[in-house]
Amino acid sequence: MARKMLIHGELDGAGVHYDFDLFVIGAGSGGVRAARFSANYGAKVGICELPFNPISSEVVGGVGGTCVLRGCVPKKILVYGAAFGGELEDARNYGWELNEKVDFNWKKLLHKKTEEITRLNGIYKRLLSNAGVKLFEGEGKLVGPNEVEVTQLDGTKLCYSAKHILIATGSRAQRPNIPGQELGITSDEALSLEDLPKRAVVLGGGYIAVEFASIWRGMGATVDMFFRKELPLRGFDDEMRAVVARNLEGRGINLHPRTNLTELIKTEDGIKVITDHGEELHADLVLFATGRIPNTKRLNLASVGVETDALGAVKVDDNSRTNVPSIWAVGDVTNRMNLTPVALMEGTCFAKTVFGGQPTKPDYINVPCAVFCIPPLSVVGLSEEQAVEQANGDVLVFTSTFNPMKNTVSGRQEKTAMKLVVDAETDKVLGASMCGPDAPEIMQGIGVALKCGATKAQFDSTVGIHPSAAEEFVTMRSTTRRVSAKPKTNL
């Protein structure tokens, strides 16, 4: 790609001088991907990020972002650690003679987790360096449509101009506005606790809530989980939500549906928790898993004219461009589909569109995802409820619930559930769900099939791998139910 090079900057086609072709604020998954790929297309790229710390705040963060440093990756390390509790129980019927008391060393796992995210922080820095991206450690904010100010660790402020600016600052956990809310913690702190709680209370019913409830219960804690709906994981397939709830209870987690917390009170031996039903519990720890909000408060967006919504999310078009033509945004800061692989996709599409000469819009259809409770839930495509709502004709539902082969020997009473949702007229598979061991590993392959537009007949004609749980997806021959689509109206 031909570019006009200057010793201290770049010229655009109109002869305007810029320090960078692209400056990225935020070096999480989406920002790093956009920066690297843009540099690979020949752009001169700068990126800024707060200094590394496992627990984020307004002044610390780290290259790698939420997912790598205080989200998906360390969370899954803890899920692995917690899962061994159940595995050790199951091992006895497989001939392993274990002592009745097996000790768990939380501090050792915590140390290993911190070692791993520190290693990943270094890898992400090297990825940027190897791509030729200039990294600045400090807080970035907009001071103009083509200008970024970076405040370094010593307070020094540096200003850089860029033809394009990309906002990729992600999101942060929020706390409910209740008395004593300062006594609770968020997922950031939960991943770096000095001591493992014996009594944990979790407020929320989403991903983070069910995952940490599973983690702490797997490590031996008493866990009570409070959420507003009848079932956890609002937005997922209702049938699968019920399976997750049964599994959580089967593992010993106490569920409190349609219940909220109204106050936390410090006591001599922990925290007194008061609910909106007047109940009182005592806990060592209270986790607020009540959602996340976009990280935009300190970006100075309003002064530059960048539009945000009521939550503070940056408004963008289908190409991730804001209302200010030189400013773009990807990832959770836009509050579109808040998943790390989606941020990666958006960053890739941005680089292709702006610097690769390949205008590309992110595609949010049939994006697979997983909830790493124990056992995990994974889905792709439409839930049964969404399919019935969107379909023009009837929807066929195929389900299979069975005892995994491993459980037949271990004696664990925990069913795996699978589901396919099919358009009755076209035979196209609209959605797939699974709750059970290895669900995310299986669903990634199902996601490819749905992306290719697979039909139920093609699933049926696929030879299964035996013995495996995955083969159930290609042997569900009998329709569980046929559901009529909701009538469409113009009223």
Side-chain angles (χ1 to χ4, degrees):
M1 177 182 291
R3 295 165 66 234
K4 295 181 179 178
M5 297 294 294
L6 289 180
I7 294 175
H8 299 294
E10 306 300 319
L11 288 171
D12 72 358
V16 179
H17 175 276
Y18 294 112
D19 297 316
F20 294 97
D21 297 315
L22 170 66
F23 199 98
V24 183
I25 303 177
S29 297
V32 168
R33 171 63 64 89
R36 289 173 53 221
F37 280 34
S38 296
N40 289 340
Y41 284 123
K44 182 179 180 182
V45 183
I47 190 170
C48 68
E49 177 55 74
L50 297 168
F52 169 65
N53 193 293
I55 301 175
S56 69
S57 71
E58 291 182 338
V59 293
V60 292
V63 176
T66 297
C67 175
V68 173
L69 304 180
R70 63 194 68 86
C72 330
V73 172
K75 176 268 310 281
K76 194 170 182 187
I77 290 172
L78 298 191
V79 170
Y80 280 136
F84 279 110
E87 294 284 335
L88 290 169
E89 290 175 13
D90 295 348
R92 289 187 169 92
N93 277 351
Y94 277 92
W96 290 91
E97 301 294 341
L98 303 171
N99 295 328
E100 283 303 311
K101 187 177 188 309
V102 179
D103 292 329
F104 171 66
N105 188 330
W106 164 254
K107 291 187 184 296
K108 183 172 185 178
L109 177 59
L110 184 67
H111 175 69
K112 287 294 188 182
K113 181 273 299 183
T114 303
E115 278 187 340
E116 176 59 11
I117 64 172
T118 302
R119 183 184 75 87
L120 292 172
N121 173 249
I123 286 175
Y124 270 70
K125 286 182 176 180
R126 287 195 295 276
L127 286 172
L128 290 169
S129 176
N130 292 342
V133 177
K134 175 67 174 174
L135 172 63
F136 300 90
E137 197 167 61
E139 181 181 15
K141 70 175 184 179
L142 301 174
V143 290
N146 296 96
E147 192 167 6
V148 173
E149 180 184 273
V150 179
T151 303
Q152 298 186 109
L153 305 186
D154 62 0
T156 305
K157 298 182 187 299
L158 304 172
C159 282
Y160 297 98
S161 60
K163 185 175 182 181
H164 299 279
I165 297 170
L166 178 67
I167 300 167
T169 48
S171 62
R172 56 188 169 85
Q174 61 178 343
R175 296 166 176 264
N177 186 22
I178 62 173
Q181 58 96 6
E182 71 280 358
L183 300 174
I185 65 169
T186 69
S187 55
D188 278 11
E189 296 88 359
L191 289 162
S192 298
L193 293 173
E194 284 298 315
D195 298 298
L196 184 68
K198 293 180 180 177
R199 304 166 299 171
V201 164
V202 177
L203 177 61
Y207 282 77
I208 293 170
V210 298
E211 289 170 345
F212 275 100
S214 291
I215 288 167
W216 289 327
R217 181 61 197 142
M219 294 172 178
T222 298
V223 180
D224 286 85
M225 186 173 148
F226 297 83
F227 46 96
R228 291 179 297 175
K229 301 295 182 180
E230 186 63 37
L231 292 168
L233 297 175
R234 179 173 59 90
F236 285 84
D237 186 283
D238 285 349
E239 191 170 10
M240 306 308 287
R241 294 169 68 198
V243 172
V244 170
R246 279 198 305 273
N247 288 344
L248 292 175
E249 289 185 311
R251 295 266 175 165
I253 295 167
N254 304 311
L255 301 185
H256 303 263
R258 298 190 180 280
T259 308
N260 212 338
L261 303 188
T262 56
E263 186 177 5
L264 305 183
I265 301 170
K266 180 69 176 172
T267 64
E268 287 185 3
D269 68 338
I271 303 169
K272 182 162 74 173
V273 178
I274 301 175
T275 76
D276 56 359
H277 299 315
E279 301 167 300
E280 291 186 5
L281 283 87
H282 292 270
D284 304 312
L285 172 152
V286 177
L287 170 68
F288 296 134
T290 48
R292 298 177 66 84
I293 55 175
N295 243 335
T296 54
K297 188 170 73 171
R298 295 163 64 95
L299 289 175
N300 201 34
L301 300 179
S303 69
V304 183
V306 175
E307 293 180 356
T308 58
D309 67 13
L311 271 180
V314 179
K315 291 184 177 181
V316 292
D317 62 17
D318 290 345
N319 290 305
S320 300
R321 195 173 209 161
T322 73
N323 61 302
V324 178
S326 58
I327 300 175
W328 311 67
V330 297
D332 286 12
V333 75
T334 65
N335 199 30
R336 287 177 283 183
M337 184 178 284
N338 298 339
L339 297 167
T340 299
V342 171
L344 294 172
M345 171 181 67
E346 291 169 355
T348 300
C349 292
F350 163 82
K352 285 183 175 180
T353 298
V354 178
F355 298 107
Q358 310 167 54
T360 309
K361 295 178 181 179
D363 179 4
Y364 301 98
I365 304 299
N366 290 329
V367 173
C369 66
V371 183
F372 289 97
C373 44
I374 301 174
L377 167 69
S378 193
V379 305
V380 63
L382 303 181
S383 66
E384 179 179 341
E385 293 74 29
Q386 290 169 331
V388 171
E389 182 73 34
Q390 298 178 25
N392 293 318
D394 289 358
V395 171
L396 303 179
V397 179
F398 299 81
T399 61
S400 179
T401 302
F402 57 93
N403 204 26
M405 184 177 178
K406 184 178 179 182
N407 291 359
T408 61
V409 173
S410 72
R412 180 173 294 280
Q413 299 301 305
E414 190 172 76
K415 303 287 189 183
T416 286
M418 294 180 173
K419 185 171 188 176
L420 289 175
V421 179
V422 179
D423 186 302
E425 183 179 351
T426 65
D427 198 43
K428 186 175 179 179
V429 179
L430 303 175
S433 306
M434 175 180 174
C435 184
D438 302 317
E441 310 298 336
I442 293 169
M443 200 55 60
Q444 182 68 78
I446 302 293
V448 176
L450 265 64
K451 203 71 178 172
C452 294
T455 63
K456 181 63 168 61
Q458 289 171 324
F459 270 66
D460 293 344
S461 67
T462 302
V463 176
I465 298 171
H466 183 75
S468 71
E471 67 180 317
E472 286 291 316
F473 273 118
V474 298
T475 58
M476 288 192 272
R477 304 276 191 254
S478 301
T479 306
T480 303
R481 56 186 169 272
R482 186 183 189 106
V483 187
S484 298
K486 291 185 177 179
K488 304 293 189 292
T489 175
N490 292 322
L491 297 178

